[in-house]
Amino acid sequence: MSQDYNNPAFKKLLQKLQEESWQLELIISGFAIFGLFTIYEPLTQSLADAQNNQLLYKLILSLVAVMSCAILIFNLVLHVLLRGLWIGALGLRYVSGEIEYDKLKYSEKFTKHLKKRVGSFDKYIATLENYCSIIFAISFLLIFYVLAITFTILTIAFIGNYILSSDWLPGWISKGIGIPLMVFVCFGMIITFIDFATLGWLKKKKWISKLYFPIYWLFSFITLSFLYRPLVYNFLDHKFGRRLSLVLVPFYILVLVLSSFYYQSSNYIHSNINSSDIMANVENYEDQLKDSDKFVGNAVIPSKVISDSYLKVFIPYTESIENRVFYFNPSLKPEEDVRGMRNNIIRIGNSSSSKRDSLRREYLKMFNYIYSIKIDSTAYKSEFILSENLKEELGFETYLNLDSIAEGKHLLHVNRLRVRKGDTINWIVSRIPFWHFKD
């Protein structure tokens, strides 16, 4: 079976398949574009949620998924447009045949110019065919490039977090192994990128190629290039493929730069300003977040207008909150940090339920010590408990008595303790304006 590719019958089958592959290309592109447009918005929401809640692992996965989705949408839409133009050209050729420049009765200068620049109609169809086939193939190859960059960055992060900054390895081992490994991976990443950008220049030089080979071998596993290497070399050994590869990279950069432009209508006013005594941002009001695709801010109250005799304040949980709790109370930090990707099938408990409950109470006590609340200039005692908001986000919730405050506009201050240069200061988390009117 491994020698079937040398069989003449198999080669004949491949020839027939590649001649009819345009039909499969269009079917796959059509279904893929529909599916990609369907999942693009949920993926961008997932990315924004990961950024908002500072979830590193989810952020990386969502970012890779969004980038891959955007690349595929752009390439496959371009492929469908060009393939549609190709089909139209074939239909026109059936009706009109070749371009007969003499029948156009242009001057000799223009006739010579058009014959040289435009050329044969069959050549135009063949060029379109080449573009369509290569763009379709390179669409999926680019996803592997995104994964290669991601896995390289993850490798560097792994060395930094689990070797250089390791708590369980002796310092002389973590530094003695971690530093050379980090230097080698960073240096190898740069060298591999140079080889990639120059279309394999390092492989062409005899003495350089010997030094580069160990780096090439290691990064073939880190970047998973052993899975798609045949596609890469098939592009590089074809003149048209090389040219298109060199053109596409700056083209994607240009598209990225152009997509970053936006129109700003004011020098002072825009919707992303944080809430303050002169600004009310949607992200800080629960009723405005209900039917919105925006995410919860650092602190949330029910509405801009409060008619009840109490005010609910919700602070969404983030990993940075837990890091602050550990900083101010190191005894709460467990020996094994269970945050991050976990398996839901097997769970092994490492402490009794009563002990966990006791630690949670201490955790909340420390949170209430770190975070404080004021309305205007009046301080309120923090009594936050664990809860969930309307978007099913875990966080901390408390209620403030408004009986003693006058009707009208007020400003809620949510602060937290922060250590800077050895001094503990109050850092502003959120300032949220609201209006209180009694029923």
Side-chain angles (χ1 to χ4, degrees), residues 171-232:
W172 64 274
I173 293 180
S174 63
K175 299 294 187 293
I177 296 175
I179 292 175
L181 198 57
M182 180 68 81
V183 171
F184 176 77
V185 171
C186 291
F187 176 75
M189 176 183 67
I190 295 169
I191 294 298
T192 303
F193 177 77
I194 291 171
D195 184 64
F196 166 76
T198 56
L199 304 180
W201 181 82
L202 296 178
K203 301 185 188 78
K204 298 173 184 177
K205 305 300 177 181
K206 188 175 181 180
W207 64 274
I208 296 179
S209 64
K210 290 181 180 179
L211 297 173
Y212 175 58
F213 183 79
I215 298 173
Y216 168 83
W217 182 84
L218 176 63
F219 272 81
S220 69
F221 290 97
I222 293 176
T223 62
L224 303 181
S225 65
F226 61 90
L227 295 174
Y228 54 88
R229 198 175 288 144
L231 273 174
V232 176

Side-chain angles (χ1 to χ4, degrees), residues 263-280:
Y263 183 79
Q264 185 165 319
S265 59
S266 171
N267 288 293
Y268 302 101
I269 302 171
H270 56 85
S271 60
N272 292 326
I273 302 174
N274 291 330
S275 290
S276 65
D277 58 333
I278 60 169
M279 174 67 185

Side-chain angles (χ1 to χ4, degrees), residues 98-99 101 104 106 108-125 127 131 243:
E98 264 289 357
I99 301 173
Y101 292 102
L104 296 174
Y106 292 156
E108 185 179 351
K109 181 177 179 63
F110 269 99
T111 302
K112 285 182 179 180
H113 175 77
L114 291 174
K115 283 183 178 180
K116 181 180 179 181
R117 293 296 181 185
V118 178
S120 165
F121 194 63
D122 287 353
K123 181 185 176 184
Y124 173 70
I125 293 174
T127 303
Y131 273 111
R243 285 180 177 176

